[in-house]
Amino acid sequence: ELWSQVDKNLPSARMGVGFINLERAVPFAAKIPFVVNALGRDFSILAPLTQIFPATGFTLSAEGDEIVMESFTMTRRSDGTTTFDLEEYEGALTKNFPAAPLAFFGGENFTAQFDQFTQLFTTVHPAGAKIVEGMVRAQIEQLFGSSDLLESEIEPLFENEYGIGFFAGENGMNFVLQLTGESDAILAEHTNVLKKNFVESGAVWQPVITEITLPDGTVGREIQEQQAPIIEEEITVNGTTVQSLSFGKTTLFYTVRDAILIVANSQDLIEQILTDKNDTALASTLQPYVDASQEVTYVDLVQFFATLTEEETTKQFLKPYLAPFETMVMTKSLMNTGAFSVAHLMKAE
């Protein structure tokens, strides 16, 4: 029954096909040492999700220099119905990112997607849904002092187009997050509330080594957690005011321009955006795929594998299968019965 429902949503032209009954496969795989070692011990927490996503299928085909994998993952409510109502993704932000991202992820109205997933999760696993919501709210309360900010400040920021790019830096991974809104004023208002609460909550801690003198006169050292000072600064880039927050070894830069909130952990990246030194290659690569999807993911596989460490076992597990390819573009579209995804693996020229 599951196979027939999945198969009818997959293309008939195929050179290979696969099907996985997730309800049975995930609990079984979680008992296999090789799988646990390769994918991590937290792999077993996927089991409750199989009540929402009971089965998946995929097909493989070759199109020119690409390998295309099309997959359909079935969704299910306890009442047997599924309804998604999401806006179409235009991908306008893909033109507003610096050149050569290691990875990019973009879509439309993440708030609606998260809400609909939560509703779907609630229908089949109410206890699990409450746990997930509790974890999210606890994290928000720790960072901003109140979980009420989820509805009042955070969700409104993600109601339109969003995009996040990752870039390899000298001292680790850098990122740029961009969120579109109705106006500069509305975006700035939400951002300022979050910044104010973040600073006042004092949620950032750092280890500090202190010396203590014992009763016998012996001097020892111990590591204590202390609140990290948060330093607020302001710079101007190409006529645009950029705020920064520094805490511990991290500095975040953020600004609003042309109804877009831009957040980055690299001053160089945010300066590239504000001085219009962006590259259109990403937009040109993604545009043919954006038109037929609600989300798009881009990965530069050459850069991705160059950043691997031996300890990253999950990524190392994938390397032999993806190393022959240069880039991957994956799109996702939601339908009433499930999620349809297409992954394009492009060979190096």
Side-chain angles (χ1 to χ4, degrees):
E1 179 187 356
L2 291 178
W3 161 243
S4 63
Q5 293 185 54
V6 169
D7 185 53
K8 68 183 181 181
N9 288 285
L10 293 171
S12 56
R14 58 185 75 162
M15 66 180 189
V17 62
F19 170 78
I20 303 175
N21 184 325
L22 297 172
E23 288 181 315
R24 297 181 180 180
V26 170
F28 176 76
K31 299 177 182 178
I32 303 174
F34 168 75
V35 175
V36 174
N37 292 335
L39 301 180
R41 296 189 178 278
D42 293 334
F43 179 70
S44 60
I45 68 174
L46 296 176
L49 295 179
T50 63
Q51 297 181 48
I52 305 174
F53 309 108
T56 187
F58 62 90
T59 64
L60 291 174
S61 61
E63 298 179 6
D65 292 332
E66 298 181 9
I67 297 295
V68 180
M69 184 175 76
E70 299 176 74
S71 66
F72 177 79
T73 301
M74 177 184 171
T75 56
R76 180 174 62 195
R77 292 180 186 267
S78 59
D79 58 7
T81 64
T82 306
T83 301
F84 292 104
D85 182 21
L86 299 178
E87 302 173 30
E88 291 298 320
Y89 175 47
E90 297 182 357
L93 285 177
T94 59
K95 303 174 183 177
N96 204 45
F97 277 81
L102 184 151
F104 171 85
F105 176 70
E108 190 79 26
N109 200 339
F110 183 80
T111 296
Q113 295 184 54
F114 183 77
D115 288 346
Q116 292 189 46
F117 173 78
T118 302
Q119 292 170 16
L120 183 60
F121 201 2
T122 300
T123 63
V124 299
H125 202 297
K130 286 186 177 295
I131 292 173
V132 172
E133 181 182 1
M135 292 172 61
V136 172
R137 290 189 175 279
Q139 189 65 35
I140 291 172
E141 184 162 356
Q142 179 182 352
L143 290 174
F144 301 107
S146 172
S147 64
D148 293 340
L149 296 182
L150 175 63
E151 289 85 5
S152 64
E153 310 300 333
I154 298 175
E155 288 187 347
L157 288 174
F158 288 86
E159 289 179 345
N160 299 288
E161 184 180 341
Y162 60 89
I164 183 168
F166 297 93
F167 301 79
E170 293 182 359
N171 299 315
M173 193 67 64
N174 294 326
F175 75 89
V176 176
L177 170 67
Q178 299 193 48
L179 307 170
T180 61
E182 295 181 12
S183 68
D184 287 4
I186 292 176
L187 287 171
E189 180 180 355
H190 289 306
T191 305
N192 288 335
V193 170
L194 291 172
K195 186 264 295 185
K196 177 176 179 293
N197 279 267
F198 176 75
V199 172
E200 291 179 352
S201 70
V204 182
W205 296 77
Q206 63 182 9
V208 177
I209 299 177
T210 58
E211 290 189 352
I212 57 172
T213 303
L214 301 176
D216 62 357
T218 304
V219 177
R221 292 183 177 183
E222 65 178 10
I223 300 177
Q224 298 179 342
E225 289 286 325
Q226 294 185 4
Q227 286 186 327
I230 299 176
I231 302 172
E232 301 181 58
E233 294 182 326
E234 186 178 289
I235 61 174
T236 300
V237 179
N238 198 26
T240 300
T241 300
V242 178
Q243 310 287 339
S244 71
L245 290 176
S246 298
F247 44 91
K249 297 181 180 180
T250 302
T251 300
L252 294 179
F253 301 87
Y254 64 96
T255 189
V256 175
R257 186 182 75 164
D258 299 331
I260 301 173
L261 170 63
I262 307 169
V263 183
N265 66 340
S266 163
Q267 182 173 338
D268 179 62
L269 288 175
I270 207 165
E271 286 181 351
Q272 288 185 54
I273 295 172
L274 296 178
T275 54
D276 299 316
K277 293 181 180 179
N278 302 312
D279 188 82
T280 58
L282 179 65
S284 299
T285 299
L286 295 182
Q287 198 57 51
Y289 308 101
V290 165
D291 293 339
S293 68
Q294 292 164 328
E295 282 182 358
V296 64
T297 301
Y298 165 89
V299 181
D300 183 325
L301 295 173
V302 176
Q303 285 196 71
F304 176 77
F305 289 119
T307 64
L308 288 184
T309 64
E310 293 299 325
E311 290 75 22
E312 295 174 296
T313 55
T314 302
K315 298 175 184 177
Q316 291 287 358
F317 178 75
L318 296 173
K319 187 173 182 178
Y321 305 100
L322 297 179
F325 302 96
E326 187 175 60
T327 57
M328 179 181 72
V329 176
M330 185 168 65
T331 63
K332 185 182 77 174
S333 300
L334 299 177
M335 301 184 292
N336 284 340
T337 54
F340 184 70
S341 301
V342 183
H344 301 260
L345 292 168
M346 307 171 194
K347 295 180 179 180
E349 297 181 358

